[in-house]
């Protein structure tokens, strides 16, 4: 069954959706959209370092994404506004990564595949990495779900409950780095943030509880992956951007339905 590239691509897309859904909910709740974007942009530098050192793309991208996320967390509140700090680090890392790639001699690299994804070229090994990373992210989120929700609601409440908000932030940071690393092959570094934010934002108006929002976000992400791949096959469009387009259409449609329902009420 896995010999069919479309089946491998579909499984890869669903795997990324499972990893991105619960994490995307926390990104939306904590208003960390730009934080996720900065971490994703840094991953291209990890790709360049991985190719130069002949190591795993997954390991290099995750390491650099994790360093970026930790650096932002550490430097926040030290004289710069968070959006300014994220802008400087994100675009600097992306620029250094693109320059580093240009120095790689004797290595053929499809830069567009890393920027926008190449889900149709997913191998069995890639599938193992994607689903392994997704399982790890889901396990981390489930393990710390209550603590993460409490820290998201109020740091003071977290301290009163005996929790350390900085530790919960670190867990989110590690989860984000893993998700970025496994999603590079599917949607690329420029579209990872979209897969984190759009399904979660679309699910927000449908869910009554945080747990329901995470599940619905995963369903929307999986639907976007399957429908986006089908659209790419039918219309000969890029697969990664097509997946994001479907997610955006679902978001717009749900918001339009909600708006019309409010007007009738």
């Amino acid at each position: 069954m896995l010999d069919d590239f479309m089946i491998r691509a579909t499984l890869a897309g669903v795997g990324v959706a499972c990893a991105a859904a619960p994490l995307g909910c926390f990104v939306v709740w904590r208003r960390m959209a730009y934080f996720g974007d900065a971490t994703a942009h840094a991953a291209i530098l990890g790709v360049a370092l991985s190719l130069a050192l002949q190591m795993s793309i997954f390991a290099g991208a995750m390491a650099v994404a994790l360093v970026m996320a930790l650096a932002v967390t550490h430097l926040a509140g030290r004289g710069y506004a968070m959006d300014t700090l994220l802008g400087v680090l994100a675009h600097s890392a992306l620029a250094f990564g693109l320059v580093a790639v240009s120095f790689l001699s004797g290595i053929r690299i499809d830069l567009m595949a890393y920027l926008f994804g190449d889900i149709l070229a997913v191998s069995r090994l890639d599938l193992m990495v994607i689903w392994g990373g997704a399982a790890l992210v889901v396990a981390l989120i489930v393990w710390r779900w209550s603590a993460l929700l409490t820290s998201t609601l109020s740091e003071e409440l977290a301290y009163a409950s005996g929790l350390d908000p900085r530790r919960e932030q670190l867990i989110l940071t590690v989860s984000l780095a893993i998700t970025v690393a496994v999603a590079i092959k599917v949607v690329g570094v420029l579209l990872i943030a979209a897969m984190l934010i759009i399904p979660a934002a679309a699910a927000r108006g449908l869910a009554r509880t945080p747990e329901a929002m995470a599940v619905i976000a995963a369903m929307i992400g999986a639907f976007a992956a399957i429908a986006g791949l089908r659209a790419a096959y039918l219309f000969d469009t890029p697969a990664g951007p097509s997946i994001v387009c479907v997610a955006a259409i679902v978001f717009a449609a749900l918001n339009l339905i909600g708006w019309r329902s409010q007007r009738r009420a």
Side-chain angles (χ1 to χ4, degrees), residues 10 29 47 61 104 112 117 135 143 147 163 177 184 194 200 202 205 226 230 244 264:
T10 301
W29 292 331
V47 170
L104 297 175
M112 295 295 288
W143 173 48
L163 301 172
I184 282 179
I226 296 170
R230 182 62 178 172
V244 175
R264 288 178 180 176

Side-chain angles (χ1 to χ4, degrees), residues 16-44:
V16 168
C18 291
L23 188 58
C25 292
F26 284 102
V27 169
V28 170
W29 292 331
R30 289 177 174 241
R31 299 179 181 178
M32 294 170 56
Y34 206 6
F35 184 86
D37 206 28
T39 306
H41 282 182
I44 196 66

